[in-house]
Amino acid sequence: MAKHTLDPVGKSVSRVDMYDKVTGAARYADDLQFGPGLYYGRLVRSGYAHALIKRIDASKALQVPGVKAVVTGKDTPIRIGLYLKDRFIFAMDRVRYVGDAVAGVIATSEETAEEAAQLIEVEYEELPAVFDPEEAVQPDAPLIHPDLGDYEVVNFILPEPGTNISEHFKLRKGDPEAAWPKCAAIVEGTFRLPQIQHVPIEPHVAVALWEPSGQVTLWTSSQSPFAQRDLIAQSLGIPHGNLRVVSPYVGGGVGGKAGVSMEACAVVMARAVKGHPVKLRMTREEEFIGTTVRQSLVAHTRIGCDAEGNLLAMETRYYFGGGASNEYGVNIARAAGYSCTGPYYIPNVKGDSYCVYTNLPIGSAMRGFGMPEIHWGIEQIMDQLAEKMGIDPAEFRRRNCVKTGDTILTGMKMPQIDLVACIDKVTKAIDWGKEEKPSAAHKKRGKGIAIMWKAPAMPPNPGSSAIVRFNEDATVNVEIGAQELGQGAFTVAAQVAAQALGVPYEWVRISAPIDTKYSPYEWQTVASRITWSMGNAVKAAAEDARKQILDVVAEHWGEDVENLDIKDGQVISYQSEREQPLEKMVIYGLPSEDFEGWKGGPIIGHGKFMPTYVTNLDPETGQGTRAVVHYTVGAQAVDLEVDTETGEVEMLKIASAYDVGKAINPDLVMTQIEGGAVQGASSAFEALKFDEKGQPLNADLVDYRIMTTVDAPREIHGDIVETPLEDGPWGARGVGEHVMVQTAPAIANAIHDALGIRFNDLPLSAEKIFLALQEQQKD
């Protein structure tokens, strides 16, 4: 057995001190908002990747002046999780990755809590660990969750107890074995992607207050206020009506602030000091290892086509490294399974998608939700098949991409889309087919293309709701539960309400912050579903309010409601040409003749939306009538240069085009395209690194590099395609995540065009490219 005492992030205190400490000004601001009774929390984290917890001794910590309480796993014996309840808020019997939270210290200052955290002694019995998802599925791999068979799980997730497999999605279509002999060309490969971090500028932070009355309030930076309320209430036995989650604007999310991570720790800590709010803030190091990351992936993929270049068969196995908990990640593997062909029509498919426990940080939602990972290999194979057949890569994609009405891999009919138009726009934007000269003799220039699809990955019945109510001056308050992450959700909600009501956009206000006590329900702000789902709910609420107004005026004027309309905040009659301003009447109503009574009253519109048509998929074949609500499709093309002396890549231009159904706000679509191009390009060069014991090697912004303005493409070009979606507001569909799905393979294809070298593993570091060039010169 090993005895190990560690600091809150498994690093030296001096390393923690390098991070921005709580200043007097910050503490003053906290006091203004939460009062002088505010306490601060710090977490004690495991320094082992896999170990049994033999003993926790907090006696020395509790003697530190200012320390109010210490909490451990014994205070949280109920598991928590979105799709699979597989983790405790604080580790109970064992730790499963370096950074697993084993205790929490509550004190009068963050410095005091941090000091006391160093004094907590944790005795461990180290266990064998496994870090690679393929190794983790082997029969002799150490079991990370021996009790997997006892975990509560939703009906569409299929764990395999007795193994490290938390989800196995099977896709079977046609007869691949019979199709392979008919293929004129076959390409297969193994592709690897590492874990990467979301790197929000604002780290995770939460303040929780557990009042003696039993009322609990959680203030947090969250994409999922209602899901957090639901999951934390279930785990801690709090009536849902007693738990209030308040979430202001989020300073960066992209999936990292979806579901529950450290927020539940803050609530447990607040329970230990009832009546005092407790603030828990992640340091940058903790943000890297103690929240969530994008899962790793090992993909074995084989695809073949006939002599005319038509795709015939595909076989693929995806092993997602889900980390220590797969409670959210299981649905990523499922989504990858039912979309495993990428945006292509392939008549014969065998796909197996696994989510696998490993002893690394927790894999969860990140922008793209499994699609960037699987497209990395698919889109490179498509280029190789095109090369073998002597077909232009763009033309090969036009020929084989999914089209409206196709019966796709799950048996579902493809809703209306126009992916060919997206391909045409990006190839035109970068002068596809035109050979360009590099800027210097030691540089080589290349162009690459990749296409994508993505469906909102979610349960079959996620709901949205909205309330529209008027003020006396006819300004409008729109109440929603969707969160503003910087993507423009509030702007879209205001636009939808204004258009449906017939009032100027400037009259509309969005009620914020999101507050589960007062805001109407929204499942989560994830899956690029908000413009579509929330938009439908807001439109319905506005139309409800509009109908109430028109009914009142029709009765007041004695006219047919069909002849009335609302334009620029006034009710107008196409028959009598009368006008009635909304001002005052939307609150006070309208008087009867000679003021003998009144009609109407305060106008409040209610709306909701929930898809009702998504069906189950057969667990053995993945076949079903309607696997998903819809897909968004798009294309990207890249023009770049590679410095052959250093291996550095400079992106000269990225062109992107997406079929958004209807662009509610074209400027916001373009900002998504621009931001996605940068983040997608950055993801091609990022990687979380660990040593052989699972210790993080680059959990800070010094050693983990993300793309900056210096590295960004010189030019980012965007195009919008509009093929209306059958059930979107005015035909709109989401485009938030899609904009970075295919960027990495587009870059890889362009590098191959420049150098003639293929890279199957990310990241595309300058060192890796330089060494490959050296090997190429030897040959």
Side-chain angles (χ1 to χ4, degrees):
M1 290 195 300
K3 183 176 179 180
H4 190 69
T5 304
L6 60 149
D7 68 46
V9 293
K11 293 180 181 258
S12 67
V13 178
S14 60
R15 188 69 177 271
V16 175
D17 288 342
M18 290 173 64
Y19 188 76
D20 178 30
K21 305 296 284 183
V22 177
T23 65
R27 187 172 294 129
Y28 176 69
D30 286 342
D31 288 348
L32 285 179
Q33 183 171 3
F34 299 106
L38 176 68
Y39 292 159
Y40 296 84
R42 295 293 288 129
L43 301 180
V44 177
R45 296 184 179 276
S46 166
Y48 287 99
H50 196 197
L52 297 178
I53 299 173
K54 308 303 290 185
R55 180 178 64 89
I56 299 177
D57 185 352
S59 58
K60 292 179 182 177
L62 290 168
Q63 293 173 12
V64 174
V67 171
K68 299 300 179 181
V70 173
V71 297
T72 64
K74 64 181 178 60
D75 299 297
T76 59
I78 306 299
R79 293 184 180 90
I80 193 169
L82 184 64
Y83 297 105
L84 172 67
K85 297 187 188 303
D86 70 351
R87 67 181 178 91
F88 296 106
I89 297 172
F90 287 94
M92 281 279 289
D93 57 335
R94 70 173 67 199
V95 293
R96 294 178 168 88
Y97 71 102
V98 174
D100 213 349
V102 297
V105 179
I106 306 100
T108 53
S109 72
E110 192 170 23
E111 296 91 337
T112 301
E114 191 171 289
E115 176 190 351
Q118 316 306 314
L119 300 176
I120 293 180
E121 296 183 0
V122 185
E123 188 177 338
Y124 298 95
E125 180 181 337
E126 189 172 7
L127 298 172
V130 60
F131 307 110
D132 180 272
E134 270 198 297
E135 293 178 9
V137 300
Q138 300 307 312
D140 59 347
L143 277 185
I144 300 172
H145 285 262
D147 299 327
L148 177 59
D150 298 330
Y151 295 170
E152 183 180 339
V153 61
V154 297
N155 69 305
F156 53 84
I157 297 298
L158 303 172
E160 297 184 2
T163 75
N164 286 318
I165 298 170
S166 59
E167 159 68 350
H168 179 190
F169 184 92
K170 301 176 185 177
L171 195 292
R172 307 289 186 264
K173 179 189 178 187
D175 188 350
E177 291 305 314
W180 292 119
K182 301 175 184 177
C183 292
I186 298 173
V187 175
E188 58 185 312
T190 297
F191 302 87
R192 296 177 182 273
L193 297 90
Q195 288 188 338
I196 64 174
Q197 233 290 326
H198 308 81
V199 198
I201 298 302
E202 173 203 42
H204 282 67
V205 60
V207 177
L209 170 63
W210 194 304
E211 300 180 52
S213 65
Q215 294 293 318
V216 182
T217 303
L218 173 65
W219 294 268
T220 182
S221 176
S222 173
Q223 297 177 231
S224 313
F226 287 91
Q228 286 186 348
R229 181 187 65 175
D230 181 35
L231 297 177
I232 294 172
Q234 289 184 49
S235 181
L236 298 180
I238 307 169
H240 283 65
N242 286 13
L243 177 55
R244 175 187 178 193
V245 180
V246 183
S247 188
Y249 295 121
V250 175
V254 295
K257 292 174 182 172
V260 175
S261 60
M262 49 73 72
E263 301 84 7
C265 296
V267 177
V268 173
M269 295 162 86
R271 184 174 61 180
V273 289
K274 291 179 180 176
H276 288 268
V278 176
K279 181 175 183 178
L280 181 61
R281 181 187 63 157
M282 297 295 95
T283 66
R284 181 57 62 183
E285 290 89 345
E286 285 180 296
E287 191 68 33
F288 272 96
I289 63 167
T291 55
T292 60
V293 300
R294 191 176 84 178
Q295 295 177 313
S296 64
L297 175 67
V298 178
H300 301 286
T301 303
R302 183 188 192 204
I303 304 175
C305 66
D306 65 17
E308 285 71 46
N310 300 305
L311 295 172
L312 278 186
M314 176 181 189
E315 182 173 350
T316 192
R317 299 191 314 280
Y318 297 139
Y319 296 97
F320 283 90
S325 165
N326 295 178
E327 54 106 352
Y328 209 133
V330 288
N331 201 37
I332 298 173
R334 183 175 188 269
Y338 61 63
S339 298
C340 68
T341 57
Y344 296 97
Y345 175 75
I346 305 178
N348 304 285
V349 184
K350 179 183 179 183
D352 291 277
S353 185
Y354 302 90
C355 192
V356 183
Y357 288 115
T358 62
N359 292 116
L360 288 176
I362 296 171
S364 188
M366 184 173 175
R367 195 177 191 181
F369 207 77
M371 295 303 102
E373 296 93 296
I374 70 170
H375 282 72
W376 167 244
I378 293 169
E379 284 304 292
Q380 292 199 71
I381 286 178
M382 293 304 168
D383 256 34
Q384 294 173 74
L385 280 172
E387 183 178 4
K388 281 195 170 190
M389 300 306 299
I391 303 174
D392 176 81
E395 180 56 34
F396 189 83
R397 288 171 169 83
R398 290 187 187 97
R399 184 175 303 182
N400 288 289
C401 70
V402 290
K403 299 172 178 68
T404 300
D406 281 351
T407 301
I408 59 174
L409 69 166
T410 58
M412 168 181 162
K413 294 288 184 183
M414 189 68 182
Q416 288 191 325
I417 48 96
D418 193 346
L419 185 46
V420 171
C422 297
I423 296 171
D424 291 344
K425 286 183 179 295
V426 300
T427 52
K428 180 181 178 182
I430 69 160
D431 292 325
W432 183 262
K434 179 183 177 182
E435 188 172 344
E436 312 270 6
K437 292 183 178 181
S439 61
H442 63 282
K443 294 185 178 182
K444 292 189 176 183
R445 191 162 176 177
K447 295 179 181 180
I449 189 171
I451 63 176
M452 60 75 60
W453 72 349
K454 183 190 180 299
M458 55 192 186
N461 59 337
S464 298
S465 56
I467 297 171
V468 169
R469 55 184 180 84
F470 281 89
N471 302 309
E472 291 85 346
D473 62 355
T475 55
V476 181
N477 287 95
V478 176
E479 299 171 11
I480 55 175
Q483 183 58 282
E484 179 58 67
L485 313 175
Q487 85 282 38
F490 286 5
T491 301
V492 167
Q495 286 184 264
V496 169
Q499 179 71 21
L501 282 169
V503 303
Y505 167 80
E506 293 76 15
W507 290 14
V508 182
R509 315 284 187 272
I510 305 299
S511 297
I514 304 305
D515 185 333
T516 59
K517 186 174 182 178
Y518 301 107
S519 303
Y521 178 82
E522 182 67 63
W523 178 61
Q524 293 189 86
T525 302
V526 297
S528 302
R529 58 182 287 277
I530 293 304
T531 293
W532 165 73
S533 185
M534 174 210 71
N536 275 325
V538 171
K539 186 171 183 282
E543 289 171 345
D544 180 33
R546 183 178 185 276
K547 182 180 184 302
Q548 294 176 45
I549 293 168
L550 294 180
D551 285 346
V552 170
V553 176
E555 182 184 355
H556 183 64
W557 287 346
E559 294 191 28
D560 189 334
V561 72
E562 297 298 322
N563 294 323
L564 305 185
D565 202 352
I566 302 177
K567 296 286 187 181
D568 296 322
Q570 294 201 75
V571 180
I572 61 173
S573 170
Y574 294 116
Q575 180 180 14
S576 64
E577 298 186 353
R578 283 189 282 189
E579 297 181 353
Q580 170 62 54
L582 297 184
E583 185 178 359
K584 295 185 179 180
M585 74 140 295
V586 288
I587 295 294
Y588 305 125
L590 293 170
S592 301
E593 189 174 352
D594 297 327
F595 291 88
E596 294 293 329
W598 289 75
K599 305 177 184 69
I603 299 297
I604 303 175
H606 297 83
K608 64 179 181 179
F609 176 77
M610 184 184 79
T612 58
Y613 44 75
V614 175
T615 60
N616 287 331
L617 299 179
D618 186 283
E620 294 301 319
T621 65
Q623 298 299 302
T625 305
R626 187 73 177 257
V628 297
V629 290
H630 60 257
Y631 281 92
T632 296
V633 298
Q636 267 182 338
V638 175
D639 183 4
L640 56 73
E641 285 185 335
V642 182
D643 189 323
T644 59
E645 294 179 350
T646 65
E648 290 182 295
V649 175
E650 181 180 5
M651 275 161 286
L652 306 176
K653 186 173 185 177
I654 291 185
S656 307
Y658 297 90
D659 190 339
V660 303
K662 173 65 178 177
I664 300 294
N665 188 312
D667 287 343
L668 286 177
V669 174
M670 291 306 300
T671 61
Q672 288 293 325
I673 285 174
E674 291 165 1
V678 173
Q679 188 176 16
S682 184
S683 72
F685 302 94
E686 296 176 31
L688 277 168
K689 299 178 181 179
F690 303 87
D691 68 13
E692 68 282 357
K693 301 289 283 184
Q695 296 284 344
L697 299 175
N698 60 338
D700 54 53
L701 290 175
V702 174
D703 299 315
Y704 186 100
R705 297 293 305 280
I706 61 173
M707 185 166 282
T708 67
T709 53
V710 174
D711 313 300
R714 289 186 191 175
E715 182 182 352
I716 301 174
H717 175 90
D719 278 304
I720 297 170
V721 174
E722 295 182 305
T723 307
L725 179 67
E726 57 187 354
D727 67 345
W730 296 284
R733 57 166 70 86
V735 71
E737 298 172 89
H738 314 81
V739 290
M740 66 169 284
V741 165
Q742 77 278 41
T743 316
I747 292 170
N749 288 337
I751 292 174
H752 177 266
D753 184 50
L755 305 179
I757 302 174
R758 280 278 164 206
F759 295 93
N760 285 14
D761 300 351
L762 286 175
L764 296 172
S765 66
E767 179 186 19
K768 181 184 292 184
I769 294 171
F770 176 78
L771 292 174
L773 283 166
Q774 297 296 304
E775 287 297 316
Q776 185 185 56
Q777 290 175 6
K778 291 179 183 179
D779 297 339

